[in-house]
Amino acid sequence: MSAATVIADDAEALAVAAELAADFRKDAAERDAQRRLPHAELERLSASGLLAVTVPAEFGGADVRTDTLAEIFRLLAAADASLAQIPQSHFVYVGVLRRQGTHEQQEFFFGEVLRGKRLGNAQSEAGTKHVQDIRTRLTPRPDGSYLLDGVKNYSTGALFADWIPVLTRADDDALHVAYVPRDAPGLTVVDDWDGMGQRTTASGTVRLESVPVPADRVLPHYLTFQSPQLHGALAQLMHAAIDAGIASGALAEAVEFVRTKSRPWFESVEEGHETAAEDPLLIQRFGELAIQVRAADALLAAAARSVDAARAELTDDSAAEASIAVAAAKVTAAEAAVEVASALFEVSGTRSALDSLGLHRHWRDARTHTLHDPARWKVQHIGRYVLNGTRPPRHGLL
């Protein structure tokens, strides 16, 4: 891979994201239909410099605002939700480096990211008691290094990564992140993801068998949750942006289809409406869907601003307010993504259901992505906060 561009500021980041999204949209349906993994597209994403926009300025990055990062994800997801999902963990684990990395670790890994290197994800495990029941283990060796053993599932980004951050527990059960090269001995990435949606994320299995890890590639992630933190809020904000992007992309496809392909219902014609776009019932429905999309976008932007405000003065109260704002945005965006992607067929008519058109990818992507973590618990935490002033927990999923 050639050297990556270094993006200078928020405006440049947004312009680059918009340009890439416009290009990625062109073949999104084909990639989904053929499950053609986006290797070339990810190379372009790396070369563009977008993956380094959260690197701190002192290390040469643009350190963009959180609303800029959210908008980058929204734009990419509106074009191709699978492609947008892949770098979500990349930014999460750049964030872990910002918070818990030593200066030497930051200098090394931020340098890698600025050169276009990608971080993946080996986090979730299947078959355990619950999502935070992490069985992967980091075993110390006499020379101070470690061996890493475990099996990870839903490892979005791992197949395309240069470095795979692995969520693991040490002998004392404390949570750590080990940053492991993709080609490390004992590490295998299996492309066995067969989800109905987000088909090209390659969110498969990572197997770790006595993988050697130097001590300076391990970060004490457990420290993140011992004080006010925005780790969960930032991770969830990117998920909310992906859902908002799916809703926006589905609405745009519905508008284009009804304007150019849909036939008017005969009763609408009898009332003097010559095109589907003139049908007052369709106009009403598009108005309702547009309101949902606008609400999702507005809450997303407000949540991003709340995260930046908390970052400027991080306290238990500011962190809680940011987490609640993000939770509200995520619930709203998830509902909008599923509703609008489903309504696409309602407003477009029978022809829109043709498999060859690939319009169903929006609903499949929405339904798959919104299963990431349950919105019902977010609503619970919002209610507890509003009614009783109960701050949300620091478990990293809010």
Side-chain angles (χ1 to χ4, degrees):
M1 182 180 67
S2 58
T5 298
V6 177
I7 288 176
D9 53 30
D10 294 75
E12 184 181 0
L14 291 172
V16 170
E19 180 181 355
L20 286 177
D23 285 346
F24 293 160
R25 181 179 292 108
K26 296 172 186 175
D27 298 322
E30 178 190 348
R31 282 193 297 275
D32 174 81
Q34 299 178 3
R35 196 178 178 269
R36 177 166 62 81
L37 299 183
H39 292 284
E41 289 77 11
L42 285 169
E43 288 299 309
R44 284 193 63 192
L45 191 61
S46 289
S48 75
L50 274 185
L51 297 182
V53 295
T54 60
V55 170
E58 65 179 293
F59 292 94
D63 200 8
V64 299
R65 299 186 309 271
T66 304
D67 62 337
T68 297
L69 181 64
E71 180 64 4
I72 289 168
F73 272 87
R74 194 194 69 82
L75 288 167
L76 293 175
D80 184 340
S82 286
L83 192 51
Q85 180 63 40
I86 292 168
Q88 190 267 348
S89 291
H90 169 94
F91 284 101
V92 166
Y93 286 103
V94 168
V96 172
L97 285 160
R98 288 184 64 142
R99 285 183 297 276
Q100 302 303 341
T102 65
H103 182 83
E104 290 74 17
Q105 288 171 327
Q106 292 173 341
E107 194 168 51
F108 174 78
F109 279 109
F110 291 155
E112 289 283 274
V113 171
L114 285 165
R115 286 188 287 274
K117 301 294 186 181
R118 294 188 292 271
L119 308 182
N121 156 35
Q123 181 168 289
S124 297
E125 300 179 13
T128 56
K129 187 175 182 179
H130 52 73
V131 71
Q132 295 204 336
D133 181 16
I134 303 297
R135 308 280 176 90
T136 299
R137 282 297 182 268
L138 197 62
T139 305
R141 305 170 79 184
D143 64 357
S145 66
Y146 299 91
L147 291 177
L148 193 57
D149 290 275
V151 178
K152 297 291 187 176
N153 306 93
Y154 313 121
S155 301
T156 303
L159 191 69
F160 312 108
D162 299 288
W163 291 89
I164 301 179
V166 180
L167 200 61
T168 180
R169 295 194 184 276
D171 283 351
D172 61 358
D173 214 37
L175 201 61
H176 291 71
V177 177
Y179 288 70
V180 182
R182 169 69 176 81
D183 58 358
L187 187 154
T188 306
V189 181
V190 184
D191 180 21
D192 56 359
W193 170 243
D194 65 347
M196 69 171 182
Q198 294 195 294
R199 297 186 68 233
T200 60
T201 59
S203 300
T205 302
V206 172
R207 300 187 185 279
L208 305 145
E209 300 177 71
S210 298
V211 177
V213 183
D216 63 357
R217 296 294 180 259
V218 178
L219 276 70
H221 193 33
Y222 66 94
L223 294 176
T224 300
F225 308 104
Q226 293 182 359
S227 58
Q229 51 82 34
L230 296 170
H231 171 81
L234 189 61
Q236 289 294 307
L237 185 77
M238 288 183 279
H239 283 306
I242 291 169
D243 288 339
I246 293 172
S248 176
L251 181 61
E253 292 250 37
V255 167
E256 177 66 15
F257 197 95
V258 170
R259 283 177 176 172
T260 62
K261 297 181 177 65
S262 292
R263 295 184 298 176
W265 184 242
F266 75 95
E267 290 175 287
S268 177
V269 174
E270 288 175 353
E271 292 185 359
H273 308 295
E274 292 300 319
T275 68
E278 295 172 348
D279 183 333
L281 298 180
L282 282 181
I283 289 171
Q284 175 71 21
R285 189 64 176 122
F286 270 99
E288 294 166 351
L289 298 175
I291 289 168
Q292 283 190 276
V293 172
R294 283 174 176 261
D297 291 349
L299 283 175
L300 179 69
R305 291 192 297 270
S306 184
V307 170
D308 274 339
R311 180 175 286 149
E313 188 175 351
L314 189 58
T315 64
D316 280 324
D317 287 337
S318 67
E321 181 58 35
S323 289
I324 293 300
V326 171
K330 180 65 172 67
V331 170
T332 304
E335 291 174 349
V338 174
E339 172 72 14
V340 177
S342 177
L344 185 159
F345 303 100
E346 169 198 336
V347 297
S348 300
T350 305
R351 185 181 173 191
S352 64
L354 293 177
D355 190 60
S356 58
L357 296 177
L359 295 176
H360 46 61
R361 76 184 187 281
H362 298 291
W363 183 87
R364 289 185 290 100
D365 286 342
R367 186 65 280 178
T368 302
H369 183 254
T370 54
L371 298 175
H372 185 273
D373 48 274
R376 59 187 177 272
W377 273 98
K378 289 177 169 52
V379 175
Q380 276 285 309
H381 289 302
I382 294 168
R384 293 171 184 177
Y385 180 76
V386 170
L387 189 59
N388 299 314
T390 305
R391 298 188 190 107
R394 295 175 182 165
H395 55 39
L397 292 173
L398 274 170

